[in-house]
Amino acid sequence: MFRGVNAISLDAKGRLAIPSRYREVLSSHCNGSLVATIDTEEPCLLIYPIDEWEEIQAKIEALPSFNPVARRIQRLLIGHATDLEIDGSGRVLIPPLLRDYAGLEKKVILLGQGKKFELWSELRWSERRDAYLAEASQGSEMPDELQSLSL
């Protein structure tokens, strides 16, 4: 559903203009209701259409809360989950605490990831992308599931 890399500017209030190519899909798919939360592995945000998020949240809530790792994931992902609404101008307001976590300033990257988006600071994404490319050129171990793909 969502793919591609989009360089976008946050405005002074922390609003992000959703690229027009995604707006119609988001409007029909989830009526413009999104959820943003932190990525626990990288300094970026994950942005889901509400229906996709509700499936994930149900799975996270079903994890055993007496397991320390599961509890940590519950606290971080659900605890930071924030509802976002696309306004009449096609923008969403990214709350300050989430912007701080991901180091989002004026220039950001909205990265389509199938059923969700990742939102990165432009600088952090460039650094991470370059690191990924360097790892690939060094012949990192590829999971068996990917070895059968033909690009």
Side-chain angles (χ1 to χ4, degrees), residues 70-138:
R71 190 70 184 133
R72 176 177 50 93
I73 294 296
Q74 290 167 334
R75 285 182 176 135
L76 291 172
L77 293 180
I78 297 172
H80 285 91
T82 304
D83 293 307
L84 307 176
E85 292 294 328
I86 299 176
D87 68 15
S89 299
R91 300 171 303 189
V92 293
L93 176 64
I94 308 298
L97 288 174
L98 294 180
R99 289 195 314 260
D100 290 346
Y101 173 82
L104 303 178
E105 294 177 359
K106 186 160 179 65
K107 293 185 176 191
V108 298
I109 296 293
L110 185 69
L111 194 64
Q113 293 291 288
K115 295 182 178 184
K116 69 178 182 288
F117 295 102
E118 291 180 354
L119 185 61
W120 290 78
S121 93
E122 186 178 69
L123 178 62
R124 285 184 175 171
W125 170 247
S126 295
E127 291 169 350
R128 196 65 188 117
R129 181 203 56 217
D130 292 347
Y132 287 145
L133 292 170
E135 289 171 18
S137 70
Q138 295 172 2

Coordinates of all heavy atoms in Angstrom, one line a residue, residues 70-138:
A70 N 8.2 -8.5 27.3 CA 6.8 -8.1 26.8 C 6.3 -6.9 27.4 O 5.8 -6.0 26.8 CB 5.9 -9.3 27.0
R71 N 6.5 -6.7 28.7 CA 6.1 -5.5 29.4 C 6.7 -4.3 28.9 O 6.1 -3.2 28.8 CB 6.3 -5.7 30.9 CG 5.6 -4.7 31.8 CD 4.1 -4.9 31.7 NE 3.5 -3.8 32.4 CZ 2.5 -3.1 32.0 NH1 1.9 -3.4 30.8 NH2 2.0 -2.1 32.6
R72 N 8.0 -4.4 28.6 CA 8.8 -3.3 28.1 C 8.2 -2.8 26.7 O 8.0 -1.6 26.5 CB 10.3 -3.6 27.9 CG 11.1 -2.5 27.3 CD 12.6 -2.9 27.3 NE 12.8 -4.2 26.7 CZ 13.1 -4.5 25.4 NH1 13.1 -3.5 24.5 NH2 13.3 -5.7 25.0
I73 N 7.9 -3.8 25.9 CA 7.4 -3.5 24.6 C 6.0 -2.9 24.7 O 5.7 -1.9 24.1 CB 7.3 -4.8 23.7 CG1 8.7 -5.3 23.4 CG2 6.5 -4.6 22.5 CD1 9.5 -4.4 22.5
Q74 N 5.2 -3.4 25.6 CA 3.8 -2.8 25.9 C 4.0 -1.4 26.3 O 3.3 -0.5 25.8 CB 3.1 -3.6 26.9 CG 2.7 -5.0 26.5 CD 2.2 -5.9 27.6 OE1 2.6 -5.8 28.7 NE2 1.4 -6.9 27.2
R75 N 4.8 -1.1 27.3 CA 5.0 0.2 27.8 C 5.5 1.2 26.7 O 5.0 2.3 26.6 CB 6.0 0.3 28.9 CG 5.4 -0.3 30.2 CD 6.3 -0.2 31.4 NE 5.7 -0.6 32.6 CZ 6.3 -1.5 33.5 NH1 7.5 -1.9 33.2 NH2 5.6 -1.8 34.5
L76 N 6.5 0.8 25.9 CA 7.0 1.7 24.9 C 6.1 1.9 23.7 O 5.9 3.0 23.4 CB 8.4 1.1 24.4 CG 9.5 1.2 25.5 CD1 10.7 0.4 25.0 CD2 9.8 2.6 25.8
L77 N 5.6 0.8 23.1 CA 4.8 1.0 21.9 C 3.4 1.5 22.2 O 3.0 2.5 21.6 CB 4.7 -0.3 21.2 CG 6.0 -0.8 20.6 CD1 5.8 -2.1 19.8 CD2 6.6 0.2 19.6
I78 N 2.7 0.9 23.2 CA 1.3 1.4 23.5 C 1.4 2.7 24.2 O 0.6 3.6 24.0 CB 0.5 0.3 24.2 CG1 0.3 -0.9 23.3 CG2 -0.8 0.9 24.6 CD1 -0.3 -2.1 24.0
G79 N 2.4 2.8 25.1 CA 2.5 4.0 25.9 C 2.8 5.3 25.1 O 2.4 6.4 25.4
H80 N 3.5 5.1 24.0 CA 3.8 6.3 23.1 C 2.8 6.4 22.0 O 2.9 7.4 21.2 CB 5.2 6.1 22.6 CG 6.3 6.4 23.6 ND1 6.9 5.5 24.4 CD2 6.8 7.6 23.9 CE1 7.7 6.1 25.1 NE2 7.8 7.4 24.9
A81 N 1.9 5.5 21.8 CA 1.0 5.5 20.7 C 0.1 6.8 20.8 O -0.5 7.0 21.9 CB 0.1 4.3 20.7
T82 N 0.0 7.5 19.8 CA -0.7 8.8 19.8 C -1.6 8.9 18.5 O -1.1 8.6 17.4 CB 0.3 10.0 19.7 OG1 1.2 9.8 20.9 CG2 -0.4 11.3 19.8
D83 N -2.9 9.2 18.7 CA -3.8 9.3 17.6 C -3.5 10.6 16.8 O -3.2 11.6 17.4 CB -5.2 9.4 18.1 CG -5.7 8.0 18.7 OD1 -5.5 7.0 18.0 OD2 -6.2 8.1 19.9
L84 N -3.5 10.5 15.5 CA -3.3 11.6 14.6 C -4.4 11.7 13.6 O -5.0 10.6 13.2 CB -2.0 11.4 13.8 CG -0.7 11.1 14.5 CD1 0.4 10.9 13.5 CD2 -0.3 12.2 15.5
E85 N -4.9 12.9 13.3 CA -5.9 13.0 12.3 C -5.4 13.9 11.2 O -4.8 14.9 11.4 CB -7.1 13.7 13.0 CG -7.9 12.9 14.0 CD -8.5 11.7 13.4 OE1 -9.0 11.7 12.3 OE2 -8.6 10.6 14.1
I86 N -5.7 13.5 10.0 CA -5.4 14.3 8.8 C -6.4 15.4 8.7 O -7.6 15.2 8.7 CB -5.4 13.5 7.5 CG1 -4.3 12.3 7.6 CG2 -5.1 14.3 6.3 CD1 -4.3 11.4 6.5
D87 N -5.9 16.7 8.7 CA -6.8 17.8 8.7 C -7.2 18.1 7.3 O -6.8 17.4 6.3 CB -6.1 19.1 9.4 CG -4.9 19.6 8.6 OD1 -4.7 19.3 7.4 OD2 -4.2 20.5 9.2
G88 N -8.0 19.1 7.1 CA -8.5 19.5 5.8 C -7.5 19.9 4.8 O -7.7 19.9 3.6
S89 N -6.3 20.2 5.2 CA -5.2 20.6 4.3 C -4.2 19.4 4.1 O -3.2 19.6 3.5 CB -4.4 21.7 4.9 OG -5.2 22.9 5.1
G90 N -4.6 18.2 4.6 CA -3.8 17.0 4.4 C -2.6 16.9 5.3 O -1.6 16.3 5.0
R91 N -2.7 17.6 6.5 CA -1.5 17.6 7.4 C -1.9 16.9 8.7 O -3.0 16.8 9.0 CB -1.2 19.0 7.8 CG -0.8 19.9 6.6 CD -0.6 21.4 7.0 NE -1.9 21.8 7.6 CZ -2.2 23.0 8.0 NH1 -1.3 24.0 7.8 NH2 -3.3 23.4 8.5
V92 N -0.8 16.4 9.3 CA -1.0 15.8 10.7 C 0.0 16.5 11.6 O 1.1 16.9 11.2 CB -0.8 14.3 10.7 CG1 -1.8 13.5 10.0 CG2 0.6 13.9 10.2
L93 N -0.4 16.7 12.8 CA 0.4 17.3 13.8 C 1.2 16.2 14.6 O 0.6 15.3 15.2 CB -0.4 18.1 14.8 CG 0.3 18.7 16.0 CD1 1.3 19.8 15.5 CD2 -0.6 19.4 17.0
I94 N 2.5 16.3 14.5 CA 3.3 15.3 15.3 C 3.6 15.9 16.6 O 4.2 17.0 16.7 CB 4.7 15.1 14.5 CG1 4.4 14.7 13.0 CG2 5.5 14.0 15.2 CD1 3.6 13.4 12.8
P95 N 3.2 15.3 17.7 CA 3.4 15.8 19.1 C 4.8 16.0 19.4 O 5.7 15.3 19.0 CB 2.7 14.8 20.0 CG 1.8 14.0 19.1 CD 2.5 14.0 17.7
P96 N 5.1 17.1 20.2 CA 6.5 17.4 20.6 C 7.3 16.2 21.2 O 8.5 16.0 20.8 CB 6.4 18.5 21.6 CG 5.0 19.1 21.3 CD 4.2 18.0 20.8
L97 N 6.7 15.4 22.1 CA 7.5 14.3 22.7 C 7.9 13.3 21.6 O 9.0 12.8 21.7 CB 6.6 13.6 23.7 CG 6.4 14.3 25.0 CD1 5.5 13.6 26.0 CD2 7.8 14.6 25.7
L98 N 7.0 13.0 20.6 CA 7.4 12.1 19.5 C 8.5 12.7 18.6 O 9.4 12.1 18.2 CB 6.2 11.7 18.7 CG 5.2 10.8 19.5 CD1 4.0 10.5 18.6 CD2 5.8 9.6 20.1
R99 N 8.3 14.0 18.4 CA 9.3 14.7 17.5 C 10.7 14.7 18.2 O 11.7 14.4 17.6 CB 8.9 16.2 17.3 CG 7.8 16.3 16.3 CD 7.6 17.7 15.8 NE 7.7 18.8 16.8 CZ 6.6 19.4 17.3 NH1 5.4 19.1 17.0 NH2 6.8 20.4 18.2
D100 N 10.7 14.9 19.5 CA 12.0 14.9 20.3 C 12.6 13.5 20.2 O 13.8 13.4 20.0 CB 11.7 15.3 21.8 CG 11.4 16.7 21.9 OD1 11.6 17.5 21.0 OD2 10.9 17.1 23.0
Y101 N 11.8 12.4 20.4 CA 12.4 11.1 20.4 C 13.1 10.8 19.1 O 14.2 10.2 19.1 CB 11.2 10.0 20.6 CG 11.8 8.6 20.4 CD1 12.4 8.0 21.4 CD2 11.6 8.0 19.2 CE1 12.9 6.7 21.2 CE2 12.1 6.7 19.0 CZ 12.8 6.1 20.0 OH 13.3 4.8 19.8
A102 N 12.5 11.2 18.0 CA 13.0 10.9 16.7 C 14.0 12.0 16.2 O 14.5 11.8 15.1 CB 11.9 10.7 15.7
G103 N 14.2 13.0 16.9 CA 15.1 14.1 16.5 C 14.5 14.8 15.3 O 15.3 15.3 14.4
L104 N 13.2 15.0 15.2 CA 12.6 15.6 14.0 C 12.7 17.1 14.1 O 12.2 17.7 15.1 CB 11.2 15.2 13.8 CG 10.9 13.7 13.7 CD1 9.4 13.4 13.6 CD2 11.7 13.1 12.6
E105 N 13.2 17.7 13.1 CA 13.3 19.2 13.0 C 12.6 19.6 11.7 O 11.5 19.0 11.4 CB 14.7 19.6 13.1 CG 15.3 19.3 14.5 CD 16.7 19.7 14.7 OE1 17.4 20.2 13.7 OE2 17.3 19.5 15.8
K106 N 13.1 20.4 11.0 CA 12.4 20.9 9.8 C 12.4 19.9 8.6 O 11.3 19.6 8.1 CB 13.0 22.2 9.3 CG 12.2 22.8 8.1 CD 12.5 24.2 7.9 CE 11.8 24.8 6.8 NZ 10.3 24.9 6.9
K107 N 13.5 19.3 8.3 CA 13.6 18.3 7.2 C 13.4 16.9 7.7 O 14.2 16.5 8.5 CB 14.9 18.5 6.4 CG 15.0 19.9 5.7 CD 16.2 20.0 4.9 CE 16.3 21.3 4.2 NZ 17.3 21.3 3.2
V108 N 12.4 16.2 7.1 CA 12.1 14.8 7.5 C 11.9 14.0 6.3 O 11.7 14.5 5.2 CB 10.8 14.8 8.4 CG1 11.0 15.5 9.7 CG2 9.6 15.2 7.7
I109 N 12.0 12.7 6.5 CA 11.8 11.7 5.5 C 10.6 10.8 5.9 O 10.6 10.3 7.0 CB 13.0 10.8 5.3 CG1 14.2 11.6 4.8 CG2 12.7 9.6 4.4 CD1 14.1 12.2 3.4
L110 N 9.6 10.7 5.0 CA 8.5 9.8 5.2 C 8.7 8.6 4.3 O 8.8 8.7 3.1 CB 7.2 10.5 4.9 CG 5.9 9.7 5.2 CD1 5.7 9.5 6.7 CD2 4.7 10.4 4.5
L111 N 8.9 7.4 4.9 CA 9.3 6.3 4.2 C 8.2 5.2 4.2 O 7.8 4.8 5.3 CB 10.6 5.7 4.9 CG 11.4 4.6 4.2 CD1 12.0 5.2 3.0 CD2 12.5 4.1 5.2
G112 N 7.7 4.9 3.0 CA 6.6 3.9 2.9 C 7.2 2.5 3.2 O 8.2 2.2 2.7
Q113 N 6.4 1.8 4.1 CA 6.9 0.5 4.5 C 5.7 -0.5 4.4 O 5.5 -1.4 5.2 CB 7.4 0.5 5.9 CG 8.7 1.3 6.1 CD 9.8 0.6 5.4 OE1 10.3 -0.5 5.9 NE2 10.3 1.1 4.3
G114 N 5.0 -0.5 3.3 CA 3.9 -1.4 3.1 C 2.6 -0.9 3.8 O 1.9 -0.1 3.3
K115 N 2.4 -1.5 5.0 CA 1.2 -1.1 5.7 C 1.4 0.0 6.7 O 0.4 0.4 7.4 CB 0.7 -2.4 6.5 CG 0.3 -3.5 5.6 CD -0.2 -4.7 6.5 CE -0.7 -5.8 5.6 NZ -1.3 -6.9 6.3
K116 N 2.6 0.6 6.7 CA 2.8 1.7 7.6 C 3.9 2.6 7.0 O 4.4 2.3 5.9 CB 3.3 1.2 9.0 CG 4.7 0.6 8.9 CD 5.2 0.1 10.3 CE 6.6 -0.5 10.3 NZ 6.7 -1.8 9.7
F117 N 4.1 3.7 7.7 CA 5.2 4.6 7.3 C 6.2 4.7 8.5 O 5.9 4.5 9.6 CB 4.7 6.1 7.2 CG 3.7 6.3 6.0 CD1 2.3 6.3 6.3 CD2 4.1 6.4 4.7 CE1 1.4 6.5 5.3 CE2 3.2 6.6 3.7 CZ 1.9 6.7 4.0
E118 N 7.4 5.0 8.1 CA 8.4 5.4 9.1 C 8.7 6.9 8.9 O 8.7 7.4 7.7 CB 9.7 4.7 8.9 CG 9.6 3.2 9.3 CD 10.9 2.4 9.2 OE1 11.9 3.0 8.7 OE2 10.9 1.2 9.5
L119 N 8.9 7.7 10.0 CA 9.2 9.1 9.9 C 10.5 9.3 10.5 O 10.7 9.0 11.7 CB 8.1 9.9 10.6 CG 8.2 11.4 10.4 CD1 8.2 11.9 9.0 CD2 7.1 12.1 11.2
W120 N 11.5 9.8 9.7 CA 12.9 10.0 10.2 C 13.3 11.4 10.0 O 12.8 12.1 9.1 CB 13.8 9.2 9.3 CG 13.7 7.7 9.4 CD1 12.8 6.9 8.8 CD2 14.7 6.9 10.0 NE1 13.1 5.6 9.1 CE2 14.3 5.5 9.8 CE3 15.9 7.1 10.7 CZ2 15.0 4.5 10.3 CZ3 16.6 6.0 11.2 CH2 16.2 4.7 11.0
S121 N 14.2 11.8 10.8 CA 14.9 13.1 10.5 C 15.7 12.8 9.3 O 16.2 11.7 9.1 CB 15.8 13.5 11.7 OG 17.1 13.1 11.5
E122 N 15.8 13.8 8.4 CA 16.5 13.6 7.1 C 17.9 13.2 7.4 O 18.4 12.3 6.7 CB 16.4 14.9 6.3 CG 17.0 14.7 4.9 CD 16.9 16.0 4.1 OE1 17.5 17.0 4.4 OE2 16.1 16.0 3.1
L123 N 18.6 13.8 8.3 CA 20.0 13.5 8.6 C 20.1 12.1 9.1 O 21.0 11.3 8.6 CB 20.6 14.5 9.6 CG 22.0 14.3 10.0 CD1 23.0 14.4 8.8 CD2 22.4 15.2 11.1
R124 N 19.3 11.7 10.1 CA 19.4 10.3 10.6 C 19.1 9.3 9.5 O 19.7 8.3 9.5 CB 18.5 10.2 11.8 CG 19.0 10.8 13.1 CD 18.1 10.6 14.2 NE 18.7 11.1 15.4 CZ 18.1 11.2 16.6 NH1 16.8 10.7 16.7 NH2 18.7 11.7 17.7
W125 N 18.1 9.6 8.7 CA 17.8 8.6 7.6 C 19.0 8.5 6.7 O 19.4 7.4 6.3 CB 16.5 9.0 6.9 CG 16.4 8.1 5.6 CD1 16.5 8.5 4.3 CD2 16.2 6.7 5.6 NE1 16.4 7.4 3.5 CE2 16.2 6.3 4.3 CE3 16.1 5.7 6.6 CZ2 16.1 4.9 3.9 CZ3 16.0 4.4 6.3 CH2 15.9 4.0 4.9
S126 N 19.6 9.6 6.3 CA 20.7 9.5 5.4 C 21.9 8.7 6.0 O 22.5 7.9 5.3 CB 21.2 10.9 5.0 OG 20.2 11.6 4.3
E127 N 22.1 8.9 7.2 CA 23.2 8.2 7.9 C 22.9 6.7 8.0 O 23.7 5.8 7.7 CB 23.4 8.7 9.3 CG 24.0 10.1 9.4 CD 24.0 10.7 10.8 OE1 23.4 10.1 11.7 OE2 24.7 11.8 10.9
R128 N 21.6 6.4 8.3 CA 21.2 5.0 8.5 C 21.2 4.3 7.1 O 21.6 3.1 7.0 CB 19.8 4.9 9.2 CG 19.5 3.5 9.7 CD 20.5 3.2 10.8 NE 20.4 1.8 11.2 CZ 21.3 0.9 11.0 NH1 22.5 1.1 10.5 NH2 21.1 -0.4 11.4
R129 N 20.6 5.0 6.1 CA 20.6 4.4 4.7 C 22.0 4.1 4.3 O 22.3 3.0 3.7 CB 19.9 5.4 3.8 CG 19.8 4.9 2.4 CD 19.7 6.0 1.4 NE 20.8 6.9 1.5 CZ 20.7 8.2 1.3 NH1 19.6 8.8 1.1 NH2 21.8 9.0 1.5
D130 N 22.9 5.0 4.5 CA 24.3 4.7 4.1 C 24.9 3.6 4.8 O 25.7 2.8 4.2 CB 25.2 6.0 4.3 CG 24.8 7.1 3.3 OD1 24.0 6.9 2.3 OD2 25.2 8.3 3.5
A131 N 24.6 3.4 6.1 CA 25.1 2.3 6.9 C 24.5 1.0 6.3 O 25.2 0.0 6.2 CB 24.8 2.5 8.4
Y132 N 23.2 1.0 6.0 CA 22.6 -0.2 5.4 C 23.3 -0.6 4.1 O 23.6 -1.8 3.9 CB 21.1 0.0 5.1 CG 20.2 0.1 6.3 CD1 19.1 0.9 6.3 CD2 20.4 -0.7 7.5 CE1 18.2 1.0 7.4 CE2 19.5 -0.7 8.5 CZ 18.5 0.2 8.5 OH 17.6 0.3 9.6
L133 N 23.6 0.4 3.3 CA 24.2 0.1 2.0 C 25.6 -0.4 2.2 O 26.1 -1.3 1.5 CB 24.2 1.4 1.1 CG 22.8 1.8 0.6 CD1 22.9 3.2 0.0 CD2 22.2 0.8 -0.3
A134 N 26.3 0.1 3.2 CA 27.7 -0.4 3.5 C 27.6 -1.8 4.0 O 28.5 -2.6 3.6 CB 28.4 0.5 4.5
E135 N 26.7 -2.1 4.8 CA 26.5 -3.5 5.3 C 26.2 -4.4 4.1 O 26.8 -5.5 4.1 CB 25.4 -3.6 6.3 CG 25.7 -2.9 7.6 CD 24.4 -2.8 8.5 OE1 23.4 -3.6 8.3 OE2 24.5 -2.0 9.5
A136 N 25.4 -4.0 3.2 CA 25.0 -4.9 2.1 C 26.3 -5.1 1.2 O 26.4 -6.2 0.7 CB 23.9 -4.2 1.3
S137 N 27.1 -4.1 1.0 CA 28.3 -4.3 0.2 C 29.3 -5.2 0.8 O 30.2 -5.7 0.1 CB 28.8 -2.9 -0.2 OG 29.4 -2.3 0.9
Q138 N 29.3 -5.3 2.1 CA 30.2 -6.2 2.8 C 29.7 -7.6 2.9 O 30.4 -8.5 3.5 CB 30.4 -5.7 4.2 CG 31.1 -4.3 4.3 CD 31.2 -3.7 5.7 OE1 30.7 -4.3 6.6 NE2 31.7 -2.5 5.8

